[in-house]
Amino acid sequence: MSLQIKRVVTGVDAKGKSVAYEASDIAPVELAMMPGAQFFAIWGTEGALESPVASPQPDNKTFFPGPGGTRFGLLRFPPRVRGRAGRTRPYRR
């Protein structure tokens, strides 16, 4: 799949001015057990959220957050492809 996912992080600096901290493409995580599926780790925090947030990635990059932490991700599944006799089969690259 060629659709790129981008993370844009904005905030307010110490002077009260709006700033863009980050604008970057996110590389997907792909698992062999789910061919064609892609997971994008968009945002994560550990503990209480503080502002401004300069980095959307927590220090501890576990899949599940600890107490008070957050995770936001996107899971994309490939389309189903119709084969012979109208049967559906998983997308294969």
Side-chain angles (χ1 to χ4, degrees):
M1 290 186 235
S2 62
L3 180 66
Q4 292 295 317
I5 303 297
K6 183 175 284 236
R7 173 180 41 232
V8 177
V9 180
T10 61
V12 178
D13 67 9
K15 295 179 182 179
K17 183 178 177 182
S18 296
V19 294
Y21 288 108
E22 178 185 355
S24 61
D25 291 332
I26 300 175
V29 174
E30 299 183 18
L31 302 174
M33 64 186 284
M34 295 175 64
Q38 297 176 318
F39 176 75
F40 298 86
I42 307 291
W43 185 268
T45 63
E46 289 298 334
L49 182 60
E50 297 178 15
S51 185
V53 175
S55 174
Q57 292 301 318
D59 293 332
N60 182 3
K61 295 183 180 183
T62 60
F63 185 80
F64 294 104
T70 63
R71 296 291 186 273
F72 177 75
L74 176 70
L75 181 58
R76 179 168 51 194
F77 293 102
R80 303 275 296 171
V81 179
R82 292 221 176 254
R84 293 184 186 185
R87 295 182 193 157
T88 59
R89 59 185 171 81
Y91 169 80
R92 301 278 189 227
R93 289 189 217 195

